[in-house]
């Protein structure tokens, strides 16, 4: 897992051949993008532009992916993403679903909260269980882009 700001994103572009495309797209985000999916490199790299209100922690579930790395970027608003190693997940609530490209687990007590606000991104690999969209002190409207980058 990596947490940083967009101004430092160039240092991570060598970690995956598609990260340069992902970060180039994120640098164009200005909050006026239409919501939905936008292909940057077909199914190998695509953006999911979304807006939502953050939810209370008791509604959160951990998720993890197998085929994609998430680059979660907050353009505006604030949220908490809980992080824990995938190996620490105990109680599965949804077995891996190929169509949803995710598995889900109940929250565990030993987590690392990532407090994210405008300009922050997190890179979450398949071994990084994460529970996104959680309130940071209070409910808040968030404009977020999640880039799905195929694992190489």
């Amino acid at each position: 897992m990596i947490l940083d700001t967009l101004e430092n994103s160039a240092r991570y572009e060598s970690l995956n051949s598609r990260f340069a495309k992902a970060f180039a797209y994120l640098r164009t985000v200005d909050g006026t993008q239409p919501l939905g999916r936008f292909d940057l490199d077909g199914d190998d790299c695509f953006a999911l532009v979304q807006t939502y209100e953050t939810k209370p922690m008791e509604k959160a579930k951990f998720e993890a992916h197998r085929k994609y790395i998430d680059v979660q970027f907050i353009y505006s608003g604030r949220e908490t993403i809980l992080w824990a190693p995938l190996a620490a997940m105990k109680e599965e609530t949804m077995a891996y679903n190929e169509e949803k490209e995710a598995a889900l687990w109940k929250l565990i007590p030993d987590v690392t909260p990532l407090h994210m606000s405008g300009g922050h991104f997190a890179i979450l690999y398949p071994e990084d269980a994460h529970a996104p969209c959680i309130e940071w002190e209070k409910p808040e409207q968030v404009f977020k882009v999640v880039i799905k980058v195929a694992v190489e």
Side-chain angles (χ1 to χ4, degrees), residues 110-132:
D110 189 15
V111 301
T112 301
L114 309 176
H115 295 300
M116 298 181 59
S117 57
H120 287 97
F121 70 86
I123 300 175
L124 300 152
Y125 288 87
E127 62 272 16
D128 295 317
H130 52 285

Side-chain angles (χ1 to χ4, degrees), residues 17-39:
S17 65
R18 297 178 188 97
F19 278 0
K21 280 183 185 172
F23 287 119
Y25 178 81
L26 292 177
R27 287 184 203 102
T28 71
V29 172
D30 63 5
T32 65
Q33 283 73 15
L35 304 181
R37 176 182 164 145
F38 300 91
D39 289 347

Side-chain angles (χ1 to χ4, degrees), residues 90-121:
K90 303 289 184 217
E91 193 174 340
E92 191 174 65
T93 62
M94 183 184 84
Y96 179 76
N97 179 307
E98 184 90 27
E99 189 175 306
K100 294 182 180 186
E101 214 290 291
L104 300 175
W105 292 267
K106 284 190 175 182
L107 291 183
I108 59 171
D110 189 15
V111 301
T112 301
L114 309 176
H115 295 300
M116 298 181 59
S117 57
H120 287 97
F121 70 86

Side-chain angles (χ1 to χ4, degrees), residues 125-149:
Y125 288 87
E127 62 272 16
D128 295 317
H130 52 285
C133 312
I134 299 172
E135 296 171 357
W136 177 4
E137 297 175 342
K138 63 182 173 70
E140 198 159 333
Q141 195 68 26
V142 171
F143 189 95
K144 181 185 209 175
V145 178
V146 177
I147 307 273
K148 296 291 205 173
V149 179

Side-chain angles (χ1 to χ4, degrees), residues 5 16 20 42 51 84 95 105 111 116 119 129 152:
T5 58
N16 181 295
T51 186
W105 292 267
V111 301
M116 298 181 59
E152 295 181 322

